[in-house]
Coordinates of all heavy atoms in Angstrom, one line a residue:
E1 N 4.7 -9.3 4.3 CA 3.2 -9.2 4.5 C 2.5 -8.7 3.3 O 1.3 -8.6 3.3 CB 3.0 -8.2 5.6 CG 3.5 -8.6 7.0 CD 2.7 -9.7 7.6 OE1 1.5 -9.8 7.2 OE2 3.3 -10.6 8.2
R2 N 3.3 -8.5 2.1 CA 2.7 -8.1 0.9 C 1.8 -6.9 1.1 O 0.6 -6.9 0.6 CB 1.9 -9.3 0.3 CG 2.7 -10.5 -0.1 CD 1.9 -11.6 -0.5 NE 0.9 -11.3 -1.7 CZ 0.0 -12.1 -2.0 NH1 -0.1 -13.4 -1.5 NH2 -0.7 -11.8 -3.1
R3 N 2.4 -5.8 1.5 CA 1.7 -4.5 1.7 C 2.7 -3.4 1.5 O 3.8 -3.5 1.9 CB 1.0 -4.5 3.1 CG 1.9 -4.4 4.2 CD 1.1 -4.3 5.5 NE 0.4 -5.6 5.9 CZ -0.7 -5.7 6.5 NH1 -1.5 -4.7 6.8 NH2 -1.2 -6.9 6.8
L4 N 2.1 -2.2 0.9 CA 2.8 -0.9 0.8 C 2.0 0.0 1.7 O 0.8 0.3 1.4 CB 2.9 -0.5 -0.7 CG 3.6 0.8 -0.8 CD1 5.0 0.8 -0.3 CD2 3.5 1.3 -2.3
H5 N 2.6 0.5 2.7 CA 1.9 1.5 3.6 C 1.8 2.9 2.9 O 3.0 3.4 2.5 CB 2.5 1.5 4.9 CG 1.8 2.5 5.9 ND1 0.5 2.2 6.3 CD2 2.2 3.5 6.5 CE1 0.1 3.1 7.1 NE2 1.2 4.0 7.3
I6 N 0.8 3.5 2.9 CA 0.6 4.9 2.4 C 0.3 5.8 3.6 O -0.9 5.9 4.0 CB -0.5 5.0 1.3 CG1 -0.2 4.0 0.1 CG2 -0.6 6.5 0.8 CD1 1.1 4.3 -0.6
P7 N 1.3 6.5 4.1 CA 0.9 7.1 5.5 C 0.3 8.4 5.4 O -0.5 8.9 6.3 CB 2.4 7.4 5.9 CG 3.3 7.5 4.8 CD 2.6 6.5 3.8
T8 N 0.4 9.2 4.2 CA -0.3 10.4 4.1 C -1.0 10.6 2.8 O -0.5 11.3 1.9 CB 0.7 11.6 4.3 OG1 1.8 11.5 3.4 CG2 1.2 11.6 5.7
P9 N -2.0 9.8 2.5 CA -2.8 9.9 1.2 C -3.7 11.2 1.2 O -3.6 12.0 2.2 CB -3.6 8.6 1.3 CG -4.0 8.5 2.7 CD -2.6 8.9 3.5
K10 N -4.5 11.4 0.2 CA -5.4 12.4 0.2 C -6.3 12.3 1.4 O -6.9 11.2 1.6 CB -6.3 12.3 -1.1 CG -7.2 13.4 -1.2 CD -8.1 13.2 -2.6 CE -9.1 14.3 -2.7 NZ -9.9 14.1 -3.9
G11 N -6.5 13.3 2.2 CA -7.3 13.3 3.3 C -6.4 13.3 4.6 O -6.9 13.4 5.7
G12 N -5.0 13.1 4.3 CA -4.1 13.2 5.5 C -3.9 11.9 6.2 O -4.4 10.9 5.8
K13 N -3.2 12.0 7.3 CA -2.8 10.8 8.2 C -3.9 10.0 8.6 O -3.8 8.8 8.8 CB -1.9 11.3 9.3 CG -0.6 11.9 8.9 CD 0.2 12.3 10.1 CE 1.5 12.9 9.7 NZ 2.3 13.3 10.9
A14 N -5.0 10.6 8.9 CA -6.2 9.9 9.3 C -6.7 8.9 8.3 O -7.4 7.9 8.6 CB -7.4 10.8 9.7
R15 N -6.4 9.1 7.1 CA -6.8 8.2 5.9 C -5.7 7.2 5.5 O -5.8 6.6 4.5 CB -7.2 9.0 4.8 CG -8.4 9.9 5.0 CD -9.8 9.1 5.0 NE -9.9 8.3 4.0 CZ -10.4 8.7 2.7 NH1 -10.6 10.0 2.6 NH2 -10.6 7.9 1.8
A16 N -4.6 7.1 6.4 CA -3.6 6.2 6.1 C -4.1 4.7 5.8 O -5.1 4.4 6.4 CB -2.5 6.1 7.2
Y17 N -3.5 4.0 4.9 CA -3.9 2.7 4.5 C -2.8 1.9 3.9 O -1.7 2.4 3.7 CB -5.1 2.7 3.6 CG -4.8 3.1 2.2 CD1 -4.8 2.3 1.1 CD2 -4.4 4.5 1.8 CE1 -4.6 2.6 -0.2 CE2 -4.1 4.9 0.6 CZ -4.2 4.0 -0.4 OH -4.0 4.3 -1.8
D18 N -3.0 0.6 3.8 CA -2.0 -0.4 3.2 C -2.6 -0.9 1.8 O -3.7 -1.2 1.7 CB -1.8 -1.5 4.1 CG -0.9 -1.1 5.4 OD1 -0.4 0.0 5.3 OD2 -1.0 -1.9 6.3
I19 N -1.7 -0.9 0.7 CA -2.0 -1.4 -0.5 C -1.7 -2.9 -0.4 O -0.6 -3.3 -0.3 CB -1.4 -0.8 -1.6 CG1 -1.7 0.8 -1.6 CG2 -1.6 -1.4 -2.9 CD1 -0.9 1.6 -2.6
P20 N -2.6 -3.9 -0.7 CA -2.3 -5.2 -0.9 C -1.5 -5.5 -2.2 O -1.8 -4.9 -3.2 CB -3.6 -5.9 -0.9 CG -4.6 -5.0 -0.5 CD -4.0 -3.6 -0.9
L21 N -0.4 -6.3 -2.1 CA 0.5 -6.5 -3.2 C 0.4 -7.8 -3.8 O 0.6 -8.8 -3.0 CB 2.0 -6.1 -2.8 CG 2.2 -4.7 -2.2 CD1 3.7 -4.6 -1.8 CD2 1.9 -3.7 -3.4
T22 N 0.3 -7.9 -5.0 CA 0.3 -9.2 -5.8 C 1.5 -9.5 -6.4 O 2.4 -8.6 -6.4 CB -0.9 -9.1 -6.9 OG1 -0.4 -8.1 -7.8 CG2 -2.2 -8.8 -6.4
R23 N 1.7 -10.7 -7.0 CA 3.0 -11.0 -7.6 C 3.4 -10.0 -8.8 O 4.5 -9.5 -8.8 CB 2.9 -12.4 -8.2 CG 3.1 -13.4 -7.0 CD 3.2 -14.8 -7.5 NE 4.4 -15.1 -8.4 CZ 4.6 -16.1 -9.1 NH1 3.8 -17.1 -9.2 NH2 5.8 -16.2 -9.8
P24 N 2.5 -9.6 -9.6 CA 2.8 -8.6 -10.6 C 3.2 -7.3 -10.0 O 4.0 -6.6 -10.6 CB 1.5 -8.6 -11.4 CG 0.8 -9.9 -11.3 CD 1.2 -10.3 -9.9
M25 N 2.6 -6.9 -9.0 CA 3.0 -5.6 -8.4 C 4.2 -5.7 -7.7 O 5.1 -4.8 -7.8 CB 1.8 -5.3 -7.3 CG 0.5 -5.0 -7.9 SD -0.9 -5.0 -6.7 CE -0.6 -3.3 -6.1
L26 N 4.6 -6.7 -7.1 CA 5.9 -6.9 -6.4 C 7.0 -7.0 -7.6 O 8.1 -6.4 -7.4 CB 6.0 -8.3 -5.5 CG 5.1 -8.2 -4.2 CD1 5.1 -9.6 -3.7 CD2 5.9 -7.2 -3.3
A27 N 6.7 -7.6 -8.7 CA 7.7 -7.8 -9.8 C 7.9 -6.4 -10.3 O 9.0 -5.9 -10.7 CB 7.2 -8.7 -10.8
C28 N 6.8 -5.6 -10.4 CA 6.9 -4.2 -11.0 C 7.9 -3.3 -10.0 O 8.6 -2.6 -10.5 CB 5.5 -3.6 -11.0 SG 5.4 -1.9 -11.4
L29 N 7.7 -3.4 -8.7 CA 8.5 -2.8 -7.8 C 10.0 -3.3 -7.8 O 10.9 -2.4 -7.7 CB 8.0 -3.0 -6.3 CG 6.6 -2.3 -6.0 CD1 6.2 -2.6 -4.6 CD2 6.6 -0.8 -6.3

């Protein structure tokens, strides 16, 4: 799905979000 879930960012669980991942980002990981 090309996403990295961030469950507890600044602001807590209510601000959880997904980071869209590009090819360079996936290669980095």
Side-chain angles (χ1 to χ4, degrees):
E1 292 293 326
R2 293 173 58 187
R3 65 178 76 211
L4 176 64
H5 183 61
I6 305 298
T8 53
K10 180 180 179 180
K13 294 180 180 179
R15 296 288 304 281
Y17 71 110
D18 292 342
I19 299 174
L21 301 175
T22 63
R23 287 185 64 190
M25 294 167 77
L26 288 169
C28 175
L29 293 178

